[in-house]
Amino acid sequence: MEGALSKWTNVMKGWQYRWFVLDDSAGLFSYYTSREKMRRGVRRGCVRLRGALVGIDDEDDSTFTITVDNKTFHFQAKDSEERERWIRALEDTVVRHNMIARRAVGGRQGGGSVKIEDFERKLAETDCYLQLLISQNSELEQQVDKEGGAVYQPLVERVNDMVETVKHAIVLLQIAKNASCPGEEEQLALVHGAAGGSEGAEGESVEEARESRAETDSIRSSLSSPRRSPAHIRSAVAKSTSLKNPSTIPAVSYSSSDDDEDDFYDAQDDVASKAGSECGSAALPPLVTPTPSLVSPLTPSEVDWDALYEEDGEEEGDVDMKSHGSVITHLLSQVRIGMDLTKIVLPTFILERRSLLEMYADFFAHPDIFTDIAVKESQEERMVQVLRWYLSSFSASRKSTIAKKPYNPIIGEIFRCWWSLPSIQPPTSPSCTPGPIPWCGPSDLMFLAEQVSHHPPVSAFYVECGARQISFTGHIYTKSAFLGMSVAVHNIGEGRVSLLSTGEDYVVTFPSAYGRSILTTPWVELGGKCDISCPQTGYRAEVEFKCKQFWGTEQNKVVAEVFPPVGISKKSLLKVEGEWNGKMVAKYSSGKTETFLDMSTMPVVPKVVKSVVEQEKHESRRLWREVTQGLKSNNIEQATNGKLALEQKQREEAKDRKEKGVKWDNRMFLPIGENWHFKDPLGNRI
């Protein structure tokens, strides 16, 4: 098979035309600068297909990749049909030559030792098939919703079964890998050492010449993580020989411009190797029964519970991850055939030392920015200030570069805190009755959160500052999706900023969170399009959190635009670009440019929380104190026991409530339609 395709080159930073020839008998995918050069035998480069992985880009229906020999080559066809023809032909060749290689190895060795690369290759292959199934099933599900689409329903159900089967295959392969290759690091060190010794001076010189790029390749490899081997050291010799004789089958894939980095290598992490646990779908929180006595003395203890939550600048994640290995190993210990993998309980050591309800308080870690919304004079200025607060509300929750998951709140759990704002003058005469936190004053910013639902898990929270007559009501339902080796968490819900002095409401939505790199060190990024709108004035803002591109290196990017009411203009008033955890720059329609926010230099205002010994029974820090102490002291057994004891107690109370037919009644929030509302908002007390 032969034909024209485009190949990505880093030299030109774009796609270049090439003529490709698939040699099924030799297992080579060769390319030339033109068809004429192909006839003359002047080969530009080739990809060896034995042991290769063929992948596709879900965001583009014409591109595909081949990963082999520690490199990823990117190609672009004319359309999806042409891509499908090439992929089918390539995969057939890959399968045939893999079988030939296995027979040859079996004949020579009568079996052979288990290698880590074999498991990793199969893991990557399985995950690629899983992504294909998920993508194709999504298209089928869209057809079902259309008229006459009922005929697709049986097929959709069968594909769903296949997806679950492939998920289990991924996990079982990982189990097999861990059981069969326990000394991975030591084995690889021996392999590399032997490789360096056997090649002699010439091999060492080649290795030194390529050392920098080889280190980059090892970081950029996909889930299969092809390890460097003696074949890699011999690549320079193989390339030289192959250029002279196009009929020669090289030891490794190559491009004639390898030294110029003509190949488009994958960025730091790719989709196949990324999975995380920041907001993954752990076991759903058990229920809790309200008791008549909300405050009771704690059992005497020498532990300073409040000190467990003091900010000490500690990178808690680094210690835990290095001492306990990858998250996936702990997840696998729970796996049984037939389990729903989305319900796996996350290991205790990856937990962050606080509840999810407390994490939501970080939306207001810059309280001055939030309360200043109410003092802006014009509608446009207020919308811009809402956007400024919104973009500043995400970075504070990321206390570490390593993603860790907060505790799943149990139903009925509450969290209360406040910020004292000396810059805000209290009103000369009382304008409203006392706030929802009795010991706070009108110039304080008060935060209250409650876990209001178990199925689905919904958290509601309320904020107010009486002196500024501003409040916020929000709810978030976290919906997790397990996608093979990655996790997506969609934050469904909305928040509403209410300005009582102007009668304006600003409705905001929330981005999704994506867990990455579960096999190494998990990290999290935000993604998706969000909106900010004011129904009363017509002003609106569009915000897009951009995920790291498959081929790029930029992370945490955000773009936002503010638009006037429809009748005034269709052009944006300003555009903000930058990093949501770093510097963001605003460009106004007038041509003015300024720093909009710089989160890297903006200090976080610490919240004030009542002492644990004075808290009510169902307040977050009191509920989870034993778990927090275990994590703080790196006593994972204690933390796990504390977590299990708490969850078991809640299950027993939930069972008792069910037997008695008692319905749970939320304390601070009530549902109205699809939204949750605070029972005693600021507007009712003025």
Side-chain angles (χ1 to χ4, degrees):
M1 182 177 178
E2 65 180 63
L5 291 170
S6 295
K7 176 179 176 293
W8 179 271
T9 168
N10 276 339
V11 176
M12 304 300 296
K13 295 297 181 183
W15 299 97
Q16 286 192 335
Y17 170 93
R18 293 287 184 264
W19 188 264
F20 287 78
V21 177
L22 174 58
D23 188 344
D24 182 67
S25 60
L28 292 180
F29 191 42
S30 304
Y31 55 96
Y32 308 78
T33 55
S34 66
R35 191 173 187 179
E36 180 62 26
K37 291 289 183 67
M38 183 270 292
R39 291 170 178 166
R40 287 159 44 189
V42 183
R43 185 164 62 191
R44 179 75 172 174
C46 72
V47 180
R48 191 184 63 161
L49 297 178
R50 189 181 71 185
L53 299 175
V54 182
I56 63 172
D57 186 350
D58 292 334
E59 298 181 357
D60 189 334
D61 61 359
S62 62
T63 60
F64 63 96
T65 62
I66 301 177
T67 302
V68 69
D69 299 329
N70 211 25
K71 301 177 183 178
T72 298
F73 300 85
H74 294 247
F75 309 96
Q76 186 179 61
K78 181 176 62 176
D79 51 35
S80 59
E81 293 182 0
E82 185 180 50
R83 180 183 74 170
E84 185 67 19
R85 287 195 297 271
W86 278 109
I87 287 178
R88 288 184 181 276
L90 288 166
E91 288 182 337
D92 289 343
T93 303
V94 169
V95 171
R96 195 162 72 86
H97 282 268
N98 285 348
M99 293 178 63
I100 293 173
R102 282 195 291 270
R103 293 194 192 103
V105 172
R108 290 194 306 268
Q109 301 179 356
S113 60
V114 178
K115 296 182 180 179
I116 195 72
E117 290 87 347
D118 297 333
F119 288 109
E120 291 177 330
R121 186 178 299 114
K122 289 302 178 185
L123 276 170
E125 289 178 1
T126 309
D127 193 57
C128 287
Y129 284 122
L130 174 61
Q131 303 310 320
L132 281 171
L133 279 174
I134 292 174
S135 175
Q136 294 170 357
N137 198 36
S138 297
E139 297 177 4
L140 283 174
E141 289 176 342
Q142 294 175 4
Q143 295 297 325
V144 171
D145 296 333
K146 297 179 180 178
E147 184 178 354
V151 295
Y152 295 103
Q153 187 60 40
L155 182 57
V156 170
E157 293 175 357
R158 295 190 66 178
V159 174
N160 282 330
D161 292 338
M162 293 177 65
V163 168
E164 290 303 313
T165 300
V166 177
K167 287 181 182 179
H168 291 300
I170 291 175
V171 177
L172 293 174
L173 280 169
Q174 185 70 46
I175 293 174
K177 168 191 162 185
N178 293 340
S180 303
C181 307
E184 175 182 351
E185 299 297 332
E186 293 79 2
Q187 291 174 14
L188 290 175
L190 291 174
V191 170
H192 293 165
S198 63
E199 289 300 314
E202 180 181 354
E204 291 174 358
S205 64
V206 175
E207 179 69 9
E208 292 173 358
R210 296 173 179 268
E211 180 179 356
S212 177
R213 206 180 84 238
E215 291 177 352
T216 304
D217 288 348
S218 66
I219 297 175
R220 297 177 174 178
S221 61
S222 62
L223 176 61
S224 57
S225 301
R227 299 302 203 267
R228 292 168 56 197
S229 64
H232 179 74
I233 301 175
R234 293 192 293 268
S235 62
V237 179
K239 185 177 77 172
S240 175
T241 304
S242 299
L243 283 172
K244 296 178 181 178
N245 184 3
S247 63
T248 303
I249 301 177
V252 293
S253 307
Y254 74 93
S255 169
S256 61
S257 54
D258 267 348
D259 295 335
D260 295 327
E261 294 188 342
D262 183 52
D263 294 315
F264 176 14
Y265 297 112
D266 288 343
Q268 302 247 339
D269 297 282
D270 72 358
V271 175
S273 66
K274 292 177 182 175
S277 54
E278 165 61 14
C279 295
S281 52
L284 293 175
L287 304 177
V288 63
T289 302
T291 56
S293 176
L294 295 176
V295 181
S296 63
L298 286 176
T299 303
S301 172
E302 296 180 356
V303 178
D304 184 353
W305 302 111
D306 298 319
L308 299 177
Y309 296 92
E310 292 178 357
E311 299 291 340
D312 52 11
E314 173 190 353
E315 287 286 339
E316 58 178 275
D318 291 342
V319 176
D320 289 341
M321 292 307 299
K322 290 178 180 179
S323 60
H324 292 280
S326 67
V327 177
I328 192 68
T329 304
H330 291 260
L331 297 179
L332 293 174
S333 65
Q334 308 168 56
V335 174
R336 302 292 183 272
I337 298 298
M339 276 185 64
D340 181 356
L341 298 185
T342 62
K343 300 297 189 296
I344 290 179
V345 179
L346 293 173
T348 305
F349 78 85
I350 68 163
L351 294 177
E352 189 175 346
R353 297 197 302 263
R354 59 177 178 167
S355 171
L356 181 63
L357 296 183
E358 182 171 351
M359 192 187 80
Y360 287 144
D362 287 340
F363 285 152
F364 304 90
H366 306 286
D368 291 331
I369 298 179
F370 176 73
T371 55
D372 282 350
I373 297 172
V375 300
K376 297 299 180 181
E377 295 183 356
S378 68
Q379 297 174 354
E380 178 181 329
E381 289 177 331
R382 288 192 288 272
M383 172 56 79
V384 172
Q385 187 67 17
V386 171
L387 176 63
R388 181 177 280 108
W389 160 74
Y390 181 82
L391 293 177
S392 72
S393 64
F394 298 101
S395 62
S397 64
R398 301 269 43 87
K399 298 180 180 298
S400 169
T401 56
I402 295 178
K404 308 203 81 175
K405 184 185 181 302
Y407 311 142
N408 278 336
I410 60 178
I411 192 168
E413 178 182 333
I414 66 171
F415 177 77
R416 297 181 293 183
C417 68
W418 69 95
W419 293 265
S420 297
L421 304 177
S423 60
I424 298 179
Q425 295 296 325
T428 55
S429 59
S431 58
C432 64
T433 57
I437 300 181
W439 52 86
C440 291
S443 60
D444 294 333
L445 184 66
M446 294 168 268
F447 176 93
L448 304 94
E450 180 181 6
Q451 190 70 10
V452 295
S453 175
H454 180 115
H455 293 297
V458 180
S459 305
F461 44 99
Y462 175 79
V463 180
E464 75 168 51
C465 178
R468 288 283 171 88
Q469 295 191 11
I470 183 174
S471 65
F472 179 93
T473 305
H475 68 278
I476 294 179
Y477 153 39
T478 55
K479 183 178 181 181
S480 302
F482 179 64
L483 304 175
M485 304 307 287
S486 62
V487 175
V489 179
H490 305 292
N491 294 311
I492 302 170
E494 67 175 34
R496 183 178 296 266
V497 180
S498 298
L499 304 179
L500 299 184
S501 59
T502 63
E504 296 171 359
D505 291 328
Y506 296 85
V507 182
V508 305
T509 57
F510 305 100
S512 298
Y514 295 89
R516 310 298 191 192
S517 300
I518 196 172
L519 292 177
T520 53
T521 302
W523 57 280
V524 70
E525 64 177 344
L526 302 180
K529 295 182 179 180
C530 303
D531 299 307
I532 305 174
S533 61
C534 180
Q536 291 81 14
T537 65
Y539 280 86
R540 64 186 179 87
E542 297 178 355
V543 185
E544 181 179 5
F545 295 86
K546 297 187 176 183
C547 292
K548 178 177 170 293
Q549 295 295 316
F550 183 72
W551 54 84
T553 58
E554 294 183 337
Q555 294 179 228
N556 304 323
K557 290 295 182 180
V558 65
V559 178
E561 290 186 272
V562 174
F563 295 90
V566 177
I568 297 179
S569 174
K570 293 183 178 179
K571 294 184 178 180
S572 63
L573 299 173
L574 83 156
K575 184 176 183 179
V576 180
E577 293 184 286
E579 299 174 352
W580 55 262
N581 61 347
K583 186 176 181 179
M584 289 167 266
V585 177
K587 297 180 181 179
Y588 292 83
S589 56
S590 62
K592 175 185 174 183
T593 300
E594 66 177 4
T595 298
F596 195 68
L597 288 166
D598 190 350
M599 307 313 300
S600 60
T601 60
M602 184 177 296
V604 172
V605 179
K607 57 184 175 287
V608 184
V609 185
K610 207 169 187 179
S611 175
V612 172
V613 297
E614 299 175 3
Q615 290 183 4
E616 297 179 3
K617 288 183 177 181
H618 305 306
E619 292 199 56
S620 297
R621 290 190 173 183
R622 177 166 175 169
L623 273 175
W624 296 95
R625 64 187 186 279
E626 298 288 349
V627 179
T628 304
Q629 182 195 9
L631 294 175
K632 180 76 172 181
S633 60
N634 203 27
N635 187 336
I636 303 305
E637 183 178 359
Q638 176 188 348
T640 302
N641 292 337
K643 179 172 179 285
L644 293 177
L646 176 62
E647 292 174 343
Q648 182 59 31
K649 181 176 181 294
Q650 308 316 311
R651 292 189 187 99
E652 292 172 356
E653 293 179 346
K655 181 181 178 181
D656 181 64
R657 186 169 60 252
K658 183 177 180 180
E659 292 174 350
K660 294 179 179 179
V662 178
K663 185 178 180 181
W664 177 261
D665 184 26
N666 291 301
R667 175 179 171 184
M668 298 187 295
F669 294 85
L670 55 88
I672 300 178
E674 296 182 354
N675 297 324
W676 289 85
H677 295 260
F678 191 63
K679 291 182 178 181
D680 189 23
L682 180 62
N684 292 354
R685 290 179 275 109
I686 291 182

